[in-house]
């Protein structure tokens, strides 16, 4: 199985800050990676698929990048509605596996 | 608009069975892979199972293989998860999710609100 190691597990940031979340795959997954946002009491929502493609309707302050087996989600200017938990997921092969999550908290 | 509504959760004793359902609307159900994902209280997301658009390929997490069975009824636009030999560690909110395409290896583009399964004596 492919392991997804996500870091940090939590980050404190202020409105307007740039936030970067990292996910490392235990083996090559090409660009088969998605990022999700989950707010408390709500279902997850996809932000990025294929490592860098922005899901329709998602603000452009969210972006995804990659290098080898390392993937990043960047929020260029954190907004109040962005405080949430973020998960990466590899979609290269079954079993699909998620990272452990990153909670973005208000500083 | 895509709409996914899970049902069938509840409190069940260890070793018993439960069948979850997911009613889908707003898209061509038979064109897309479907998934079940769960989230234990206060924990992260765990993929449980998926089924391709035509039902020809099915996958399970190791933690549920041999106990859970995924199926779909395209005539009813519905997805199911038959859960047998339930364990306390199966306690979680179970989400139904629509794949972005017909393959099981696609991102989860739309999610329901989940149905809670609690396994306890």
């Amino acid at each position: 199985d492919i392991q997804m190691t996500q870091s940090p597990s939590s980050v404190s940031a202020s409105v307007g800050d740039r936030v970067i979340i990292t996910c490392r795959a235990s083996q090559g997954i090409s660009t088969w990676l998605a990022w999700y946002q989950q707010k408390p009491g709500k279902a997850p929502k996809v932000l990025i698929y294929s490592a860098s493609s922005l899901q329709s309707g998602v603000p452009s302050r969210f972006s995804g990048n990659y290098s080898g087996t390392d993937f990043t989600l960047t929020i260029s200017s954190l907004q109040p509605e962005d405080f949430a938990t973020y998960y990466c997921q590899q979609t290269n092969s079954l079993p699909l596996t998620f990272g452990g999550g990153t909670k973005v908290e208000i500083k | 608009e895509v709409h996914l509504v899970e049902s069938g959760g509840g409190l069940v004793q260890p070793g018993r069975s439960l069948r979850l359902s997911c009613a889908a609307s707003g898209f061509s159900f038979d064109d897309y892979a479907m998934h079940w994902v769960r989230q234990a209280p206060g924990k992260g997301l765990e993929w449980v199972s998926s089924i391709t658009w035509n039902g020809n390929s099915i996958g399970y997490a190791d933690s549920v293989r041999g106990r859970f069975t995924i199926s779909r009824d395209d005539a009813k636009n519905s997805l199911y998860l038959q859960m047998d030999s339930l364990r306390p560690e199966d306690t979680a909110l179970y989400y139904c999710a629509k794949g972005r395409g017909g393959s099981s290896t696609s991102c989860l583009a739309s999610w329901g609100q989940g149905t809670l399964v609690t396994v306890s004596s």
Side-chain angles (χ1 to χ4, degrees), chain B residues 44-113:
Chain B
L45 301 171
E46 180 187 16
W47 173 81
V48 173
S49 182
S50 68
I51 184 168
T52 52
W53 67 279
N54 58 5
N56 283 356
S57 181
I58 285 173
Y60 297 99
D62 288 345
S63 57
V64 307
R65 186 176 292 112
R67 300 188 298 122
F68 289 11
T69 303
I70 191 172
S71 62
R72 63 189 298 157
D73 184 339
D74 291 346
K76 295 184 178 180
N77 285 352
S78 293
L79 177 72
Y80 305 101
L81 187 67
Q82 177 68 40
M83 304 187 297
D84 298 324
S85 303
L86 282 161
R87 305 167 179 169
E89 55 265 36
D90 295 320
T91 294
L93 186 63
Y94 283 74
Y95 291 104
C96 162
K98 167 188 167 290
R100 189 169 181 275
S103 164
S104 292
T105 52
S106 60
C107 78
L108 309 185
S110 301
W111 299 61
Q113 286 305 302

Side-chain angles (χ1 to χ4, degrees), chain A:
Chain A
D1 298 359
I2 299 173
Q3 309 303 317
M4 304 303 296
T5 304
Q6 192 173 336
S7 62
S9 57
S10 66
V11 57
S12 293
S14 301
V15 172
D17 284 353
R18 176 179 167 122
V19 173
I20 299 175
I21 299 168
T22 298
C23 205
R24 173 170 289 174
S26 61
Q27 63 190 74
I29 59 170
S30 185
T31 58
W32 296 111
L33 184 107
W35 289 98
Y36 302 87
Q37 176 193 66
Q38 186 178 33
K39 296 181 179 179
K42 299 295 186 182
K45 163 188 158 183
V46 65
L47 301 174
I48 302 282
Y49 62 94
S50 299
S52 59
S53 296
L54 194 67
Q55 175 74 356
S56 176
V58 173
S60 59
R61 62 181 179 274
F62 292 94
S63 63
N65 212 334
Y66 60 95
S67 175
T69 58
D70 291 337
F71 299 82
T72 57
L73 172 70
T74 300
I75 310 172
S76 60
S77 177
L78 199 65
Q79 297 302 300
E81 60 268 30
D82 300 337
F83 292 96
T85 300
Y86 295 84
Y87 295 93
C88 63
Q89 181 201 31
Q90 66 83 15
T91 59
N92 180 77
S93 60
L94 298 186
L96 303 182
T97 43
F98 290 91
T102 296
K103 186 173 184 179
V104 177
E105 300 175 297
I106 301 172
K107 192 171 187 179

